[in-house]
Amino acid sequence: MNPNRALWEKGDFTRIAAAMRESGEALIESFGVKVGMDVLDLGCGDGTTAVPAAQRGANVLGVDIAQNLVSAGNARAAAAGLDNLRFQEGDASDLRDLADESFDLVVSMFGAMFAPRPFDVAKEMVRVTRSGGRIVMGNWIPGDPTLIAQVLKTSAAYTPPPPEGFISPVTWGG
């Protein structure tokens, strides 16, 4: 099993995501998501940004490496009656199931930044974005004073050294 997938399938991230619902709605509004846009939410969890994008009329695909989060997202979409939203399992660094230039907007809010091969993620995000489309990421940054950033910093102090070639997730925002 993919160790990154195994990590994200531990615990119940949906409980944390529930506290972020309003921020997802505000972000989607600020991105100018409109009816008919094709949106990819990469590292989508259970749909914090995917659901409000679909509610605004976009055709949305949420991709996450964790099957439990994909299932939770599909359940949210069904419960909300959003037939323009679907979730599928996938690796942000290898989106081979998605065609080139498929999306008007590719968004990842604190999701794809955790993929272990950031250069591959960036290449894939560009590949699936239409000419004139946008890529928007929210990432924690080095020295970020937020609670989550501090938890990541504290956790790192108690984990073994990263493997050779490891690139820290916070470098996306640096």
Side-chain angles (χ1 to χ4, degrees):
M1 174 183 269
N2 179 320
N4 200 34
R5 177 182 174 186
L7 173 68
W8 286 102
E9 289 182 348
K10 291 180 185 258
D12 185 4
F13 179 75
T14 61
R15 293 174 58 194
I16 296 170
M20 298 183 229
R21 301 284 187 240
E22 288 181 27
S23 64
E25 293 168 14
L27 285 168
I28 289 302
E29 183 176 337
S30 73
F31 299 159
V33 173
K34 296 180 172 94
V35 172
M37 286 180 72
D38 293 313
V39 176
L40 171 63
D41 187 354
L42 195 54
C44 61
D46 71 341
T48 300
T49 52
V51 169
Q55 289 170 330
R56 293 177 75 79
N59 303 307
V60 183
L61 173 62
V63 173
D64 201 282
I65 198 161
Q67 182 56 49
N68 58 329
L69 296 175
V70 168
S71 295
N74 279 318
R76 284 189 68 207
L82 296 169
D83 59 2
N84 57 331
L85 171 59
R86 67 185 176 87
F87 293 80
Q88 72 182 38
E89 188 178 333
D91 184 331
S93 63
D94 182 4
L95 300 171
R96 71 180 78 186
D97 295 338
L98 305 181
D100 295 354
E101 300 186 16
S102 298
F103 299 95
D104 302 303
L105 173 65
V106 174
V107 61
S108 183
M109 294 293 120
F110 309 106
M113 69 179 279
F114 290 106
R117 296 187 314 275
F119 294 106
D120 292 342
V121 173
K123 185 170 66 174
E124 286 293 84
M125 291 173 82
V126 169
R127 181 184 66 77
V128 301
T129 304
R130 290 187 177 116
S131 177
R134 293 178 298 153
I135 298 171
V136 179
M137 291 184 78
N139 303 303
W140 284 293
I141 59 173
D144 185 353
T146 63
L147 174 63
I148 297 296
Q150 295 307 309
V151 167
L152 292 173
K153 182 179 177 181
T154 301
S155 298
Y158 295 95
T159 59
E164 187 175 325
F166 173 79
I167 301 172
S168 170
V170 298
T171 58
W172 279 102

